[in-house]
Amino acid sequence: MINDKLMPELRWRWVIGLSFIFFHISIAESQQLSFVELNCENLFDYQDDEGKDDSEYLPEATRHWTKKRYWQKLNNISQSLLSCCEEGIPDIIALCEVENDSVLHDLTKHSLLRNAGYEYILTSSPDLRGIDVALLYSPFSFAPIKSSSIRVEPIKGMRPTRDILYVSGQMVSGDTLHVFVVHFPSRFGGERYSRPFRKTVADCLCISLDSIKAQNSDAKILIAGDFNDNADSPVLKQIYSHDIYNLTKDARGIHGVKGTYRYQGEWGSIDHVLSSRAIYNKVDTAFVHSPLFLLEEETLYGGYRPRRTYIGMRHQSGYSDHLPLVVRLNL
């Protein structure tokens, strides 16, 4: 009889192996690209990153962020990502709230994700906590041509923020795909007070979008990440005005999930996947990935919420306070 404690590990080993079988079948049958976006919720390692304010996530800190908890978090994020596709593995993954190269190396090479063969590209931002964004990709599906970090110069009153990650590469179809991964400033201080900070990032993003479209008006562009704004916000509308469309505006999940994030009983989507017109009509499906293992019951308001890593300062074997967004494209 198998020990119940071993079942999750065995289940995910089986999922990884089966995923590769389906992956090769799916490549032969069609040219479909699966894209996932996830805010990992403070994916820090347990080492002090010199020059960054990461002291909250150290073994001796209040949160007691130990090696054991770190590796549990890595494997939980791996489970989240691998479960997003019923057949195969996600081709491209945009991640927010990852600390550094060591974390991405451990995630892709040593966690439950290790057999998926992902490579990654990561920013190195001036964010005070050391938070960055990253792109994971399967070399079988996407071949990067060039990449860069777009630095956002803060305006008055604005803290240094995350760089915008830009990657262009060739898809299986032979077409070039331009990908931007973003993590806009939070609403700390209130939505109206902080809106100019998010607008500053949007300005930088739109300059890059216009530059790409000036060279190719039919360019295939994806923009994904945590925008810290709803789909109908002024900042998102500013981006839409550059002939950009929100692929996940109406994305929903199962089990009553109506967004990627829940606050005080209300579902909302501050995570988005946007695209240029050339991709807008190629969407097969877009949804919030919300299997029960990523959720927990919310006793105060009823229903479910994302099963996060900490509730206050109490650690639990959670995943993230955000749920993954999944978009499948027919190339």
Side-chain angles (χ1 to χ4, degrees), residues 242-271:
H242 291 254
D243 200 27
I244 295 297
Y245 301 82
N246 195 325
L247 304 184
T248 55
K249 181 179 180 180
D250 299 317
R252 298 291 184 269
I254 57 176
H255 305 302
V257 170
K258 300 177 181 179
T260 58
Y261 187 82
R262 199 175 192 202
Y263 179 69
Q264 295 184 346
E266 295 294 327
W267 283 103
S269 286
I270 55 178
D271 306 281

Side-chain angles (χ1 to χ4, degrees), residues 187 191 195 229-238 240 246 249 269-270 272:
R187 293 191 174 197
E191 189 279 329
R195 186 189 302 170
D229 255 328
N230 297 320
D232 59 354
S233 69
V235 172
L236 267 294
K237 288 179 179 178
Q238 172 191 344
Y240 302 156
N246 195 325
K249 181 179 180 180
S269 286
I270 55 178
H272 305 280

Side-chain angles (χ1 to χ4, degrees), residues 145-179:
I145 299 170
K146 62 179 178 181
S147 65
S148 62
S149 292
I150 302 170
R151 184 61 47 91
V152 179
E153 293 298 328
I155 61 174
K156 184 178 180 180
M158 179 181 173
R159 297 173 57 180
T161 192
R162 279 74 58 172
D163 290 352
I164 300 170
L165 176 60
Y166 166 67
V167 182
S168 68
Q170 189 176 58
M171 298 182 288
V172 174
S173 64
D175 294 334
T176 297
L177 177 66
H178 304 269
V179 184

